[in-house]
Amino acid sequence: MAQPDSKKIFFENLSGAGKAIAVLTSGGDAQGMNAAVRAVVRMGLYVGAKVYFIHEGYQGMVDGGDNIQEASWESVSSMLQVGGTVIGSARCKEFRSHEGRLKAAHNLVQHGITNLCVIGGDGSLTGANLFREEWSGLLSELVEQGSIEADAIQKYSALHIVGMVGSIDNDFCGTDMTIGTDSALHRIIEVVDAIMTTAQSHQRTFVLEVMGRHCGYLALVSALACGADWVLIPEMPPEDGWEDKMCQKLSANRAGMKRLNIIIVAEGAIDRNNKPITTDYIKNLVVKCLGFDTRVTILGHVQRGGTPSAFDRILASRMGVEAVLALLETTANTPACVVSLCGNQSVRLPLMECVQMTQEVQKAMDGKRFEEAVKLRGRSFENNLKTYKLLAHRKPETELPTSNFNVAVLNVGAPAAGMNAAVRSAVRVGISEGHKMFAVSDGFEGFSKGQIKEIKWADVGGWTGQGGSLLGTKRTLPAKHVEKIAEQMRKNNINALLIVGGFETCDRIKQSASGTKRRVFIIETMGGYCGYLASVGGLAAGADAAYIYEEPFDIRDLQANVEHLTEKMKGSIQRGLVLRNENCNENYTTDFIYQLYSEEGKGVFDSRKNVLGHMQQGGAPSPFDRNFGTKISAKAMQWVTKKLLETFRQGRVFANSEDSCCLLGMRRRALVFQPVVQLKDDTDFVHRIPKEQWWLKLRPLMKILAKYKTSYDVSDSGQLEHVVRNRPKESDASVAM
């Protein structure tokens, strides 16, 4: 086995022995909170700390008694996939008073708790910080009252706070995604997709209200993800006279043979005078001005309910582990912090800096400084808004620049959810940049056969929510068709290519592994030689093991996994989950592993197997895939425009430098254009995977949360950063993970 890198820090050096950590959920519930609670409990126990549940949020802390209970490993089993919060959440007026916080301090001291993990919104986290600041004074009062011994002041001298933001609104500054947001988007898009079918049947206009009293993130991203005709959000009210413009847009879309209209409204939508814009007002406006059959749907609390998405489970699990690490490293002088996500990395930020910036957004809106409010929301929010405007509102022909460039877009490789959203985005951004856009059918093979035609703005309407590849895609490599492709490029005067695809890629995995009587599920996932789906799917589903090509294993590892599961099943654990990447090992097949587990688990558990197959590539794309495909494609097309203008001389494009052929993708916290020639040294072409995979760092988390002893590199953790108002332009990190 390879020796640990001396530059890396391993969390084995951080001990929780003698520490007591309490976890509570406060404010509104959000899908994924249970995954965060589970991660805090298991990571806390793993490092040797005592961990407590505080039931019913701050109310339970004030009331004490049975509301504060010690947690065990088994007490958080089977809660990963459950929505809401199983430990309860309640609004607590009493905690807002000094007397209430005094009672809460007394209850914590009785259990020896000086480390709090708070999962909630900005109000809950602000209350936690105030509690921390008052802590020493509260203990002194308790000593004076005779409620605690005098030595308790020294013994429990400091209260350490770490926050995780649980809010479906994604309304907390400093973090790219809050726990629950992605799941809420799933609920919204499921409803929108269903409504679009009935709206199309009857040629109706639907006005949908989504949550977001003070933040328009859900409305904006769902509008981007479904291609809505109009969106209204509190951060950027429409200009005066918007009613006429909206009706003109709806009418123009119907004239263009579109059979439906979708208008999405945040519940806190306002006009430029801070007056509410209601769904009923919009409905009456459309009926009066256009005579369209118009219906209103208010989604309400359905957005909070249901099973958390894979993204929220992974986000919450990573945040929970990071929160415990932060508590282990904290000192009396460390400010209360929030753990959050930036790009695909965990970060720690000062809690009150985040809270203050969040409050500044509302102040800016109250003061009608709407541009400032959008910027304060962060670059991701700002880019979402710009992208929506770019794709939803077509400029008149007279206002479009004339570039005289022809740009072709094509799909290659295996079909992947989100491809159609990327093509739609590329086509519309290209047209807005003044290019003539061409669509190539059936990848490079179709290109060589001349399957290319001009594609217009209206041709890609409704593509966002479609699964698969509407252009068609094949895995044929261009090498054997180079001459014919070059001929087609000359014939159609193609100046640039935008290619969506590459090595087999799929961001969606659907799996259910819930059994009744002690059962182990062996699931085979796709991915070629890339173990991303098996690893991240395993973390999202609470798997006990995930076998992948990048991490070689042998029969001893398999036997150790079986023994580990057998030991767990003898306790109160009722189910097990094992994932296997399709090409992880040519000898240890899915059948072999199934038979091994079946034989060795006799008398303790029974086994079932399932090969997911191409269902992973099918179905409608998730909100993440739609949003990511849309934004990354828009960014790519803007880069293409920039390069075309830079290399155009004497009527020709001279694209002969390394940076004229780039791959766009995320590295750590930023979207990066990397010349393809530079990828040669970083790529295993035989197995069609990168030589270094960032997500391999997540695999120890799955093992820790499944009760395996392992090493976990925390060299990327531990640095408390400051909130920045505007990140570098490349960092558009709602595309995290």
Side-chain angles (χ1 to χ4, degrees):
M1 182 178 287
Q3 293 298 311
D5 188 335
S6 59
K7 293 180 181 178
K8 294 180 179 179
I9 306 167
F10 291 91
F11 83 100
E12 288 89 333
N13 302 324
L14 305 171
S15 173
K19 293 192 175 184
I21 300 170
V23 58
L24 70 143
T25 53
S26 178
D29 66 303
Q31 307 97 318
M33 279 184 166
N34 290 323
V37 170
R38 171 182 177 268
V40 169
V41 169
R42 291 195 167 178
M43 189 63 173
L45 294 173
Y46 192 88
V47 298
K50 278 190 173 182
V51 186
Y52 292 86
F53 295 128
I54 298 179
H55 292 272
E56 311 307 333
Y58 287 120
Q59 190 66 57
M61 194 191 296
V62 171
D63 295 342
D66 291 340
N67 288 303
I68 302 177
Q69 294 181 342
E70 190 169 351
S72 66
W73 193 276
E74 291 74 21
S75 63
V76 292
S77 295
S78 302
M79 66 190 293
L80 186 64
Q81 72 277 13
V82 179
T85 164
V86 298
I87 61 173
S89 179
R91 312 282 181 186
C92 181
K93 287 185 179 180
E94 200 171 352
F95 188 76
R96 297 177 186 174
S97 68
H98 183 79
E99 293 74 17
R101 293 192 290 276
L102 191 65
K103 289 180 185 178
H106 182 241
N107 290 327
L108 293 188
V109 169
Q110 284 186 317
H111 290 87
I113 297 168
T114 56
N115 297 279
L116 269 186
C117 210
V118 181
I119 308 167
D122 62 332
S124 302
L125 299 179
T126 302
N129 189 67
L130 176 61
F131 190 39
R132 172 183 169 275
E133 291 174 347
E134 292 182 347
W135 181 255
S136 58
L138 294 171
L139 294 195
S140 297
E141 282 187 55
L142 290 171
V143 169
E144 288 175 11
Q145 293 175 3
S147 300
I148 60 174
E149 298 295 327
D151 64 350
I153 293 181
Q154 183 65 31
K155 190 175 180 182
Y156 307 115
S157 58
L159 178 67
H160 306 298
I161 303 284
V162 172
M164 285 181 277
V165 188
S167 167
I168 68 167
D169 293 337
N170 203 27
D171 55 354
F172 195 79
C173 294
T175 180
D176 294 332
M177 287 286 275
T178 57
I179 295 168
T181 301
D182 187 69
S183 299
L185 284 170
H186 272 74
R187 301 295 95 77
I188 294 168
I189 294 303
E190 285 166 10
V191 171
V192 172
D193 285 352
I195 279 175
M196 287 178 83
T197 58
T198 184
Q200 190 155 9
S201 300
H202 298 278
Q203 298 194 57
R204 283 179 176 148
T205 295
F206 269 85
V207 184
L208 283 82
E209 180 184 285
V210 301
M211 283 187 167
R213 195 177 307 131
H214 303 293
C215 178
Y217 183 88
L218 288 179
L220 178 57
V221 175
S222 56
L224 199 57
C226 73
D229 297 279
W230 204 266
V231 64
L232 293 155
I233 59 174
E235 291 88 347
M236 185 53 68
E239 300 288 344
D240 292 342
W242 64 272
E243 293 94 339
D244 290 338
K245 290 180 181 177
M246 184 187 75
C247 289
Q248 288 169 10
K249 171 86 184 299
L250 300 181
S251 182
N253 284 349
R254 287 292 179 92
M257 304 303 291
K258 188 176 180 182
R259 292 177 59 86
L260 75 155
N261 301 113
I262 299 290
I263 302 166
I264 296 182
V265 187
E267 63 177 322
I270 53 175
D271 64 15
R272 290 271 157 178
N273 297 310
N274 284 343
K275 290 174 60 179
I277 299 175
T278 66
T279 52
D280 284 336
Y281 175 76
I282 296 170
K283 174 190 172 182
N284 294 335
L285 176 69
V286 173
V287 171
K288 179 182 176 182
C289 295
L290 301 174
F292 291 170
D293 185 2
T294 306
R295 306 296 169 92
V296 170
T297 298
I298 297 175
L299 270 64
H301 284 78
V302 70
Q303 295 160 87
R304 288 192 186 278
T307 302
S309 67
F311 185 100
D312 273 327
R313 297 186 202 188
I314 295 161
L315 172 66
S317 297
R318 291 181 66 184
M319 297 303 96
V321 168
E322 184 71 20
V324 172
L325 293 175
L327 288 172
L328 293 179
E329 296 172 1
T330 193
T331 66
N333 298 320
T334 306
C337 76
V338 173
V339 292
S340 64
L341 196 70
C342 181
N344 55 35
Q345 286 193 296
S346 302
V347 295
R348 302 177 194 170
L349 301 167
L351 187 152
M352 289 314 295
E353 283 187 23
C354 297
V355 169
Q356 285 161 8
M357 186 174 286
T358 302
Q359 293 171 346
E360 282 181 37
V361 177
Q362 189 59 49
K363 290 176 183 175
M365 289 192 288
D366 292 342
K368 301 181 182 179
R369 302 189 307 276
F370 300 114
E371 295 283 351
E372 182 184 342
V374 169
K375 288 187 180 298
L376 286 169
R377 281 280 180 232
R379 188 164 294 280
S380 175
F381 187 95
E382 191 177 4
N383 284 349
N384 280 326
L385 184 58
K386 286 179 180 176
T387 305
Y388 174 78
K389 287 180 176 179
L390 196 61
L391 300 180
H393 304 290
R394 185 182 184 183
K395 293 178 181 177
E397 295 287 341
T398 53
E399 294 181 20
L400 291 175
T402 51
S403 69
N404 296 319
F405 293 125
N406 294 346
V407 180
V409 59
L410 69 156
N411 294 155
V412 299
M419 275 186 165
N420 296 320
V423 172
R424 169 184 176 268
S425 178
V427 168
R428 291 196 169 181
V429 172
I431 290 170
S432 296
E433 299 277 329
H435 307 319
K436 183 182 282 190
M437 298 299 299
F438 290 82
V440 178
S441 300
D442 297 335
F444 288 118
E445 187 175 320
F447 204 173
S448 69
K449 295 176 180 177
Q451 294 173 208
I452 179 171
K453 64 178 182 179
E454 187 177 354
I455 188 167
K456 302 283 191 179
W457 183 282
D459 294 337
V460 291
W463 281 35
T464 310
Q466 299 290 318
S469 167
L470 293 175
L471 288 182
T473 180
K474 291 189 177 181
R475 296 182 183 180
T476 309
L477 295 175
K480 59 182 179 181
H481 299 298
V482 168
E483 291 183 5
K484 290 183 178 179
I485 291 172
E487 182 185 334
Q488 290 297 328
M489 290 186 72
R490 284 192 295 271
K491 180 180 177 181
N492 294 281
N493 193 27
I494 301 299
N495 304 112
L497 285 179
L498 194 150
I499 302 169
V500 181
F503 289 164
E504 290 183 35
T505 176
C506 178
D507 184 57
R508 305 181 69 241
I509 180 168
K510 295 179 179 177
Q511 53 199 12
S512 173
S514 55
T516 49
K517 297 293 183 182
R518 290 187 171 84
R519 181 166 291 166
V520 174
F521 288 81
I522 290 90
I523 310 288
E524 180 184 299
T525 69
M526 293 179 77
Y529 288 93
C530 178
Y532 177 84
L533 286 179
S535 298
V536 180
L539 183 59
D544 296 277
Y547 302 117
I548 63 172
Y549 171 79
E550 292 92 342
E551 213 170 79
F553 59 96
D554 57 26
I555 193 67
R556 288 164 295 186
D557 297 310
L558 291 170
Q559 185 62 34
N561 294 149
V562 173
E563 291 172 359
H564 182 82
L565 254 175
T566 303
E567 199 61 36
K568 284 174 68 175
M569 289 289 188
K570 287 177 180 176
S572 60
I573 304 296
Q574 294 291 311
R575 69 155 182 106
L577 176 63
V578 174
L579 299 183
R580 178 190 176 274
N581 166 249
E582 60 182 343
N583 289 338
C584 65
N585 189 292
E586 62 181 346
N587 295 313
Y588 301 132
T589 63
T590 301
D591 284 334
F592 177 91
I593 293 173
Y594 164 68
Q595 290 165 5
L596 176 68
Y597 275 75
S598 297
E599 181 64 28
E600 297 298 319
K602 273 183 180 177
V604 181
F605 60 81
D606 64 355
S607 301
R608 296 287 187 274
K609 68 172 179 176
N610 191 0
V611 178
L612 295 180
H614 285 80
M615 70 168 287
Q616 295 160 86
Q617 292 180 330
S622 68
F624 178 93
D625 283 328
R626 300 181 195 195
N627 191 23
F628 182 61
T630 296
K631 291 203 293 183
I632 201 169
S633 187
K635 191 176 185 71
M637 184 52 68
Q638 289 167 337
W639 177 88
V640 165
T641 299
K642 178 171 173 272
K643 286 297 175 185
L644 284 171
L645 293 173
E646 286 176 358
T647 58
F648 185 72
R649 296 188 298 275
Q650 299 174 352
R652 293 178 61 192
V653 174
F654 293 85
N656 49 9
S657 60
E658 282 190 3
D659 65 349
S660 64
C661 179
C662 286
L663 174 72
L664 174 58
M666 172 155 283
R667 285 213 163 178
R668 294 171 71 86
R669 303 187 188 184
L671 282 171
V672 176
F673 289 96
Q674 186 167 4
V676 171
V677 293
Q678 293 179 11
L679 294 172
K680 191 174 180 181
D681 296 333
D682 300 332
T683 305
D684 175 354
F685 284 96
V686 174
H687 299 101
R688 303 171 73 184
I689 56 174
K691 290 179 180 176
E692 288 189 19
Q693 304 270 36
W694 69 268
W695 49 264
L696 286 173
K697 286 187 176 182
L698 301 182
R699 282 183 62 79
L701 297 189
M702 184 188 71
K703 295 177 182 178
I704 288 167
L705 298 178
K707 217 174 184 177
Y708 285 93
K709 288 292 180 185
T710 188
S711 291
Y712 178 41
D713 175 15
V714 295
S715 54
D716 284 341
S717 303
Q719 296 299 316
L720 190 67
E721 303 180 12
H722 290 283
V723 180
V724 289
R725 289 176 183 267
N726 275 315
R727 298 190 186 121
K729 195 171 183 180
E730 290 77 18
S731 178
D732 177 21
S734 74
V735 295
M737 206 177 67

